[in-house]
Amino acid sequence: MSAAPHRIDVHQHIVPAFYRDLLAKAGLVEAGGRQLPDWSPESALEQMDLLGTATAIVSVSTPGTGFLTEPGEATALARRLNDFSASLTAQHPHRFGHFATLPMPDTAASATEAARALDELGADGVTLLANNRGTYLGADGQDALWRTLNERRAVVFVHPAELPAPAVDGIPPFAADFLLDTTRAAYLLVRNGVVRRYPDIRFVLSHAGGFVPYASHRMAVAIASDTGRSPLDVLEDLRGFYFDTALSSSPAALPTLLAFARPGHVLFGSDWPFAPAAAGQYFVNGLEGGADPGTRAAIDRTNAQALFPRLGGAPAPAPDRPVAVRLRQSARRAGARLIFKLVQPGTR
Protein backbone atom coordinates (compact mmCIF):
# COMPACT_ATOMS: atom_id res chain seq x y z
CA MET A 1 0.00 0.00 0.00
CA SER A 2 1.55 3.28 -1.05
CA ALA A 3 2.09 5.82 1.70
CA ALA A 4 2.23 8.79 -0.71
CA PRO A 5 -0.91 10.92 -0.35
CA HIS A 6 -2.44 10.80 -3.81
CA ARG A 7 -5.96 9.39 -3.50
CA ILE A 8 -9.14 11.45 -3.65
CA ASP A 9 -11.70 9.95 -1.29
CA VAL A 10 -15.28 10.84 -2.24
CA HIS A 11 -16.87 8.85 0.60
CA GLN A 12 -15.66 10.08 3.97
CA HIS A 13 -17.88 11.34 6.76
CA ILE A 14 -17.81 13.95 9.48
CA VAL A 15 -19.52 13.79 12.88
CA PRO A 16 -19.15 17.26 14.41
CA ALA A 17 -19.62 17.45 18.18
CA PHE A 18 -22.73 19.63 17.94
CA TYR A 19 -24.32 17.13 15.52
CA ARG A 20 -23.53 14.19 17.78
CA ASP A 21 -25.11 16.08 20.70
CA LEU A 22 -28.30 16.73 18.73
CA LEU A 23 -28.52 13.07 17.74
CA ALA A 24 -28.00 11.98 21.34
CA LYS A 25 -30.72 14.38 22.48
CA ALA A 26 -33.05 12.64 20.01
CA GLY A 27 -32.03 9.24 21.40
CA LEU A 28 -29.88 8.34 18.39
CA VAL A 29 -26.52 6.81 19.30
CA GLU A 30 -25.94 4.76 16.15
CA ALA A 31 -26.45 4.93 12.40
CA GLY A 32 -27.13 1.92 10.24
CA GLY A 33 -26.58 -0.40 13.16
CA ARG A 34 -23.14 1.01 14.03
CA GLN A 35 -22.29 3.15 17.01
CA LEU A 36 -21.59 6.75 16.07
CA PRO A 37 -17.81 6.91 15.71
CA ASP A 38 -15.50 9.48 17.17
CA TRP A 39 -14.40 12.12 14.67
CA SER A 40 -12.07 15.09 14.57
CA PRO A 41 -10.14 16.80 11.77
CA GLU A 42 -6.91 15.50 13.29
CA SER A 43 -8.07 11.87 13.36
CA ALA A 44 -9.37 12.21 9.80
CA LEU A 45 -6.00 13.48 8.57
CA GLU A 46 -4.19 10.66 10.36
CA GLN A 47 -6.40 8.06 8.67
CA MET A 48 -5.96 9.78 5.31
CA ASP A 49 -2.19 9.56 5.67
CA LEU A 50 -2.50 5.86 6.50
CA LEU A 51 -4.52 5.17 3.32
CA GLY A 52 -2.48 7.48 1.11
CA THR A 53 -5.37 9.92 0.69
CA ALA A 54 -4.50 13.44 -0.40
CA THR A 55 -8.01 14.92 -0.35
CA ALA A 56 -11.31 13.76 1.15
CA ILE A 57 -14.68 15.16 0.11
CA VAL A 58 -16.58 14.81 3.36
CA SER A 59 -20.29 14.41 3.96
CA VAL A 60 -22.79 13.82 6.74
CA SER A 61 -24.08 10.26 6.86
CA THR A 62 -27.57 9.04 7.67
CA PRO A 63 -29.80 10.29 9.29
CA GLY A 64 -28.69 13.69 8.00
CA THR A 65 -31.34 16.14 9.15
CA GLY A 66 -34.16 13.61 8.73
CA PHE A 67 -34.54 12.95 12.46
CA LEU A 68 -35.94 16.47 12.86
CA THR A 69 -39.62 16.57 11.92
CA GLU A 70 -39.99 20.36 12.14
CA PRO A 71 -38.95 21.73 8.73
CA GLY A 72 -37.44 24.91 10.11
CA GLU A 73 -35.22 22.99 12.51
CA ALA A 74 -34.04 20.66 9.75
CA THR A 75 -33.20 23.60 7.49
CA ALA A 76 -31.31 25.37 10.29
CA LEU A 77 -29.29 22.22 11.02
CA ALA A 78 -28.43 21.76 7.34
CA ARG A 79 -27.16 25.34 7.20
CA ARG A 80 -25.08 24.83 10.34
CA LEU A 81 -23.57 21.60 9.03
CA ASN A 82 -22.75 23.21 5.69
CA ASP A 83 -21.16 26.23 7.32
CA PHE A 84 -19.05 23.85 9.43
CA SER A 85 -18.01 21.83 6.37
CA ALA A 86 -17.11 24.98 4.44
CA SER A 87 -14.98 26.16 7.37
CA LEU A 88 -13.21 22.79 7.51
CA THR A 89 -12.44 23.05 3.79
CA ALA A 90 -11.18 26.62 4.20
CA GLN A 91 -8.86 25.57 7.03
CA HIS A 92 -7.46 22.62 5.01
CA PRO A 93 -8.08 23.56 1.37
CA HIS A 94 -5.84 20.86 -0.10
CA ARG A 95 -7.01 18.09 2.21
CA PHE A 96 -10.79 18.49 2.42
CA GLY A 97 -13.75 19.27 0.20
CA HIS A 98 -17.41 18.81 1.12
CA PHE A 99 -20.79 17.67 -0.06
CA ALA A 100 -23.58 19.83 1.31
CA THR A 101 -26.32 18.44 3.55
CA LEU A 102 -29.88 19.18 2.39
CA PRO A 103 -33.02 19.21 4.59
CA MET A 104 -34.92 16.51 2.73
CA PRO A 105 -37.71 15.55 2.26
CA ASP A 106 -38.51 19.29 2.00
CA THR A 107 -37.54 19.71 -1.66
CA ALA A 108 -38.17 23.48 -1.78
CA ALA A 109 -35.95 24.14 1.24
CA SER A 110 -33.41 21.66 -0.14
CA ALA A 111 -33.26 23.50 -3.47
CA THR A 112 -32.68 26.79 -1.66
CA GLU A 113 -29.93 25.35 0.54
CA ALA A 114 -28.32 23.59 -2.41
CA ALA A 115 -28.07 26.90 -4.25
CA ARG A 116 -26.55 28.59 -1.20
CA ALA A 117 -24.04 25.82 -0.57
CA LEU A 118 -22.95 25.52 -4.19
CA ASP A 119 -22.96 29.22 -5.09
CA GLU A 120 -21.77 30.81 -1.84
CA LEU A 121 -19.96 28.15 0.20
CA GLY A 122 -18.09 26.46 -2.61
CA ALA A 123 -19.48 22.99 -1.92
CA ASP A 124 -18.19 20.28 -4.26
CA GLY A 125 -21.69 18.83 -4.54
CA VAL A 126 -24.58 17.75 -2.35
CA THR A 127 -25.47 14.65 -0.39
CA LEU A 128 -28.88 13.06 -0.80
CA LEU A 129 -30.02 10.06 1.19
CA ALA A 130 -31.55 7.33 -0.95
CA ASN A 131 -34.79 7.60 1.00
CA ASN A 132 -36.11 10.24 3.34
CA ARG A 133 -38.80 8.96 5.71
CA GLY A 134 -39.79 6.40 3.10
CA THR A 135 -39.82 8.72 0.08
CA TYR A 136 -37.15 7.69 -2.40
CA LEU A 137 -35.12 9.78 -4.76
CA GLY A 138 -36.85 9.69 -8.11
CA ALA A 139 -40.34 9.95 -6.64
CA ASP A 140 -42.81 12.57 -7.84
CA GLY A 141 -42.56 16.12 -6.55
CA GLN A 142 -38.76 16.56 -6.58
CA ASP A 143 -38.35 18.49 -9.84
CA ALA A 144 -37.63 21.85 -8.18
CA LEU A 145 -34.56 20.31 -6.58
CA TRP A 146 -33.47 18.53 -9.76
CA ARG A 147 -33.76 21.75 -11.75
CA THR A 148 -31.59 23.63 -9.26
CA LEU A 149 -28.95 20.92 -9.33
CA ASN A 150 -29.06 20.48 -13.10
CA GLU A 151 -28.57 24.21 -13.71
CA ARG A 152 -25.35 24.01 -11.67
CA ARG A 153 -24.12 20.73 -13.16
CA ALA A 154 -23.96 19.51 -9.59
CA VAL A 155 -22.46 16.30 -8.31
CA VAL A 156 -25.00 14.42 -6.16
CA PHE A 157 -23.58 11.91 -3.70
CA VAL A 158 -26.31 9.33 -3.03
CA HIS A 159 -25.85 7.74 0.38
CA PRO A 160 -28.04 4.98 1.81
CA ALA A 161 -30.33 5.38 4.79
CA GLU A 162 -32.12 2.78 6.83
CA LEU A 163 -34.93 1.08 4.94
CA PRO A 164 -38.49 2.29 5.63
CA ALA A 165 -39.22 -1.02 7.33
CA PRO A 166 -38.18 -2.71 10.57
CA ALA A 167 -34.67 -4.10 10.65
CA VAL A 168 -34.30 -7.87 10.76
CA ASP A 169 -32.83 -9.24 13.96
CA GLY A 170 -29.24 -10.27 13.42
CA ILE A 171 -28.75 -8.21 10.24
CA PRO A 172 -27.36 -4.73 10.91
CA PRO A 173 -28.70 -2.30 8.31
CA PHE A 174 -25.25 -1.29 7.07
CA ALA A 175 -24.43 -4.90 6.14
CA ALA A 176 -27.22 -5.51 3.60
CA ASP A 177 -30.12 -3.03 3.82
CA PHE A 178 -27.93 -0.08 2.83
CA LEU A 179 -27.09 -1.80 -0.46
CA LEU A 180 -30.78 -2.32 -1.24
CA ASP A 181 -31.59 1.28 -0.30
CA THR A 182 -29.12 2.68 -2.82
CA THR A 183 -30.34 0.22 -5.45
CA ARG A 184 -33.94 1.30 -4.97
CA ALA A 185 -33.02 4.97 -5.47
CA ALA A 186 -30.98 4.22 -8.58
CA TYR A 187 -33.82 2.14 -10.00
CA LEU A 188 -36.37 4.94 -9.56
CA LEU A 189 -34.04 7.66 -10.85
CA VAL A 190 -33.77 5.66 -14.06
CA ARG A 191 -37.29 4.23 -14.19
CA ASN A 192 -38.93 7.62 -13.68
CA GLY A 193 -36.68 9.40 -16.16
CA VAL A 194 -34.86 11.75 -13.78
CA VAL A 195 -31.42 11.01 -15.23
CA ARG A 196 -32.74 11.68 -18.75
CA ARG A 197 -34.59 14.91 -17.93
CA TYR A 198 -31.67 16.32 -15.94
CA PRO A 199 -28.58 15.10 -17.82
CA ASP A 200 -26.17 17.61 -16.27
CA ILE A 201 -26.49 16.15 -12.76
CA ARG A 202 -23.68 13.69 -12.01
CA PHE A 203 -24.92 11.05 -9.54
CA VAL A 204 -22.37 9.13 -7.44
CA LEU A 205 -23.76 5.92 -5.93
CA SER A 206 -22.23 4.79 -2.63
CA HIS A 207 -20.73 1.36 -2.08
CA ALA A 208 -20.36 0.45 -5.76
CA GLY A 209 -24.03 1.20 -6.36
CA GLY A 210 -25.36 -1.40 -3.96
CA PHE A 211 -26.69 -4.23 -6.13
CA VAL A 212 -26.85 -2.16 -9.33
CA PRO A 213 -23.88 -3.63 -11.25
CA TYR A 214 -24.72 -7.21 -10.26
CA ALA A 215 -28.47 -6.92 -11.00
CA SER A 216 -28.29 -4.35 -13.82
CA HIS A 217 -29.59 -6.55 -16.64
CA ARG A 218 -32.41 -7.92 -14.51
CA MET A 219 -33.36 -4.37 -13.55
CA ALA A 220 -33.15 -3.20 -17.18
CA VAL A 221 -35.55 -5.91 -18.33
CA ALA A 222 -38.00 -4.99 -15.56
CA ILE A 223 -37.86 -1.26 -16.31
CA ALA A 224 -38.17 -1.88 -20.06
CA SER A 225 -41.22 -4.08 -19.51
CA ASP A 226 -42.77 -1.43 -17.28
CA THR A 227 -42.05 1.62 -19.44
CA GLY A 228 -41.78 0.33 -23.01
CA ARG A 229 -38.21 1.55 -23.30
CA SER A 230 -35.38 -0.44 -24.83
CA PRO A 231 -33.41 -2.49 -22.29
CA LEU A 232 -30.22 -1.21 -23.91
CA ASP A 233 -31.26 2.38 -23.24
CA VAL A 234 -32.04 1.52 -19.63
CA LEU A 235 -28.64 -0.12 -19.24
CA GLU A 236 -26.97 2.99 -20.61
CA ASP A 237 -28.78 5.09 -18.00
CA LEU A 238 -27.67 2.73 -15.24
CA ARG A 239 -24.09 2.86 -16.54
CA GLY A 240 -24.28 6.65 -16.46
CA PHE A 241 -24.00 6.68 -12.69
CA TYR A 242 -20.67 7.10 -10.94
CA PHE A 243 -19.74 4.54 -8.29
CA ASP A 244 -17.43 4.68 -5.28
CA THR A 245 -15.43 1.76 -3.96
CA ALA A 246 -16.19 2.16 -0.24
CA LEU A 247 -16.28 -1.32 1.35
CA SER A 248 -16.60 -2.72 -2.18
CA SER A 249 -13.15 -3.30 -3.67
CA SER A 250 -13.14 -6.98 -2.78
CA PRO A 251 -12.07 -9.82 -5.12
CA ALA A 252 -15.77 -10.64 -5.49
CA ALA A 253 -17.30 -7.18 -6.00
CA LEU A 254 -14.61 -5.19 -7.80
CA PRO A 255 -14.55 -7.24 -11.04
CA THR A 256 -18.32 -6.88 -11.39
CA LEU A 257 -18.13 -3.13 -10.86
CA LEU A 258 -15.31 -2.69 -13.36
CA ALA A 259 -17.10 -4.86 -15.92
CA PHE A 260 -20.26 -2.75 -15.65
CA ALA A 261 -19.26 0.88 -15.03
CA ARG A 262 -18.34 3.25 -17.81
CA PRO A 263 -14.65 4.12 -18.07
CA GLY A 264 -13.92 7.03 -15.74
CA HIS A 265 -16.94 6.39 -13.53
CA VAL A 266 -15.35 4.53 -10.60
CA LEU A 267 -14.06 6.63 -7.70
CA PHE A 268 -12.16 5.81 -4.54
CA GLY A 269 -14.12 5.76 -1.27
CA SER A 270 -13.28 4.68 2.28
CA ASP A 271 -16.44 5.31 4.37
CA TRP A 272 -14.27 6.41 7.30
CA PRO A 273 -14.97 6.78 10.24
CA PHE A 274 -18.05 4.53 10.05
CA ALA A 275 -15.78 1.95 8.43
CA PRO A 276 -12.92 1.54 10.91
CA ALA A 277 -9.28 1.83 9.92
CA ALA A 278 -8.85 -1.93 9.53
CA ALA A 279 -11.74 -2.12 7.06
CA GLY A 280 -10.35 0.79 5.07
CA GLN A 281 -6.97 -0.92 4.82
CA TYR A 282 -8.57 -4.24 3.86
CA PHE A 283 -10.44 -2.79 0.91
CA VAL A 284 -7.51 -0.64 -0.21
CA ASN A 285 -5.53 -3.88 -0.45
CA GLY A 286 -8.37 -5.33 -2.52
CA LEU A 287 -8.16 -2.38 -4.88
CA GLU A 288 -4.38 -2.55 -5.17
CA GLY A 289 -4.47 -6.27 -5.91
CA GLY A 290 -7.61 -6.31 -8.04
CA ALA A 291 -6.97 -3.69 -10.70
CA ASP A 292 -4.16 -3.04 -13.16
CA PRO A 293 -1.96 0.02 -12.53
CA GLY A 294 -3.74 2.24 -15.05
CA THR A 295 -7.20 1.42 -13.73
CA ARG A 296 -5.98 1.83 -10.17
CA ALA A 297 -4.52 5.27 -10.90
CA ALA A 298 -7.79 6.35 -12.48
CA ILE A 299 -9.85 5.15 -9.51
CA ASP A 300 -7.43 6.62 -6.99
CA ARG A 301 -7.29 10.09 -8.50
CA THR A 302 -7.79 10.97 -12.15
CA ASN A 303 -11.47 10.02 -12.40
CA ALA A 304 -12.24 12.30 -9.45
CA GLN A 305 -10.11 15.09 -10.92
CA ALA A 306 -12.31 15.03 -14.01
CA LEU A 307 -15.45 15.21 -11.88
CA PHE A 308 -14.08 17.91 -9.55
CA PRO A 309 -11.90 20.20 -11.69
CA ARG A 310 -10.68 22.22 -8.71
CA LEU A 311 -8.76 19.12 -7.60
CA GLY A 312 -6.95 18.91 -10.91
CA GLY A 313 -3.58 20.05 -9.60
CA ALA A 314 -0.82 17.98 -8.11
CA PRO A 315 -1.62 16.19 -4.85
CA ALA A 316 -0.64 17.82 -1.60
CA PRO A 317 2.90 17.03 -0.42
CA ALA A 318 3.29 14.33 2.19
CA PRO A 319 2.93 15.71 5.72
CA ASP A 320 6.05 15.71 7.83
CA ARG A 321 5.00 13.19 10.46
CA PRO A 322 7.28 12.15 13.33
CA VAL A 323 9.41 9.10 12.63
CA ALA A 324 7.52 7.05 15.22
CA VAL A 325 4.21 7.81 13.51
CA ARG A 326 5.56 6.88 10.09
CA LEU A 327 6.97 3.60 11.40
CA ARG A 328 3.68 2.77 13.10
CA GLN A 329 1.71 3.45 9.94
CA SER A 330 4.13 1.37 7.87
CA ALA A 331 3.71 -1.55 10.27
CA ARG A 332 -0.07 -1.23 10.08
CA ARG A 333 0.03 -1.32 6.29
CA ALA A 334 2.23 -4.41 6.28
CA GLY A 335 -0.05 -6.15 8.76
CA ALA A 336 -3.13 -5.25 6.72
CA ARG A 337 -1.59 -6.70 3.55
CA LEU A 338 -0.83 -9.95 5.34
CA ILE A 339 -4.33 -10.24 6.81
CA PHE A 340 -5.90 -9.54 3.41
CA LYS A 341 -3.93 -12.37 1.84
CA LEU A 342 -4.75 -14.80 4.63
CA VAL A 343 -8.53 -14.36 4.48
CA GLN A 344 -8.96 -14.81 0.71
CA PRO A 345 -10.83 -17.95 -0.42
CA GLY A 346 -8.55 -20.79 -1.43
CA THR A 347 -5.59 -19.63 0.62
CA ARG A 348 -6.01 -22.32 3.28
Side-chain angles (χ1 to χ4, degrees):
M1 186 185 303
S2 172
H6 61 288
R7 294 188 167 98
I8 297 173
D9 185 351
V10 303
H11 189 153
Q12 188 179 129
H13 296 300
I14 58 171
V15 190
F18 70 85
Y19 182 62
R20 177 191 292 275
D21 291 344
L22 286 172
L23 291 174
K25 187 176 179 181
L28 300 173
V29 297
E30 62 177 37
R34 294 190 66 88
Q35 291 291 313
L36 289 174
D38 293 329
W39 177 87
S40 69
E42 295 74 23
S43 61
L45 290 169
E46 181 178 352
Q47 173 69 3
M48 289 161 64
D49 294 344
L50 179 66
L51 296 186
T53 299
T55 306
I57 302 179
V58 298
S59 56
V60 174
S61 185
T62 184
T65 66
F67 68 101
L68 297 172
T69 57
E70 206 285 312
E73 292 181 359
T75 298
L77 177 56
R79 290 179 64 91
R80 188 177 180 187
L81 286 166
N82 294 335
D83 289 342
F84 177 92
S85 298
S87 176
L88 177 69
T89 301
Q91 292 168 21
H92 306 275
H94 300 294
R95 303 306 305 271
F96 291 114
H98 68 283
F99 291 124
T101 300
L102 302 184
M104 290 288 277
D106 187 335
T107 53
S110 292
T112 299
E113 182 58 17
R116 185 184 82 95
L118 294 167
D119 298 347
E120 301 176 21
L121 300 183
D124 293 290
V126 303
T127 304
L128 289 174
L129 298 181
N131 90 85
N132 297 270
R133 300 183 208 153
T135 298
Y136 275 87
L137 301 182
D140 292 339
Q142 298 171 352
D143 287 277
L145 176 59
W146 301 135
R147 283 194 297 271
T148 297
L149 297 172
N150 194 67
E151 288 166 0
R152 291 160 175 79
R153 293 182 52 82
V155 176
V156 174
F157 176 59
V158 178
H159 192 278
E162 297 192 24
L163 295 177
V168 176
D169 287 346
I171 304 177
F174 78 88
D177 295 354
F178 271 17
L179 303 176
L180 175 58
D181 201 48
T182 301
T183 303
R184 285 177 168 181
Y187 189 102
L188 288 177
L189 288 168
V190 170
R191 188 261 181 210
N192 292 343
V194 173
V195 298
R196 290 258 165 159
R197 294 199 307 277
Y198 303 100
D200 290 331
I201 299 175
R202 281 76 57 79
F203 290 95
V204 179
L205 302 183
S206 299
H207 305 295
F211 304 127
V212 170
Y214 183 84
S216 54
H217 287 253
R218 178 172 180 162
M219 293 164 61
V221 169
I223 292 172
S225 176
D226 190 25
T227 64
R229 295 178 55 196
S230 161
L232 292 177
D233 286 346
V234 176
L235 279 171
E236 280 304 296
D237 284 354
L238 291 169
R239 294 183 70 232
F241 290 117
Y242 289 78
F243 305 85
D244 77 47
T245 64
L247 300 179
S248 302
S249 50
S250 70
L254 185 61
T256 302
L257 175 61
L258 294 178
F260 176 73
R262 285 182 186 170
H265 279 228
V266 180
L267 312 167
F268 177 75
S270 71
D271 203 10
W272 191 85
F274 286 90
Q281 291 178 279
Y282 181 90
F283 286 101
V284 162
N285 278 299
L287 176 61
E288 293 189 339
D292 63 76
T295 300
R296 203 163 60 237
I299 294 171
D300 281 344
R301 186 167 184 87
T302 56
N303 291 346
Q305 285 179 312
L307 196 57
F308 306 100
R310 78 170 186 86
L311 302 178
D320 186 17
R321 301 293 188 191
V323 173
V325 173
R326 296 201 301 270
L327 289 174
R328 184 171 66 248
Q329 290 184 338
S330 180
R332 291 174 67 184
R333 293 186 195 104
R337 285 194 294 269
L338 177 60
I339 292 172
F340 181 83
K341 292 178 181 178
L342 290 175
V343 301
Q344 297 314 307
T347 59
R348 287 181 293 175

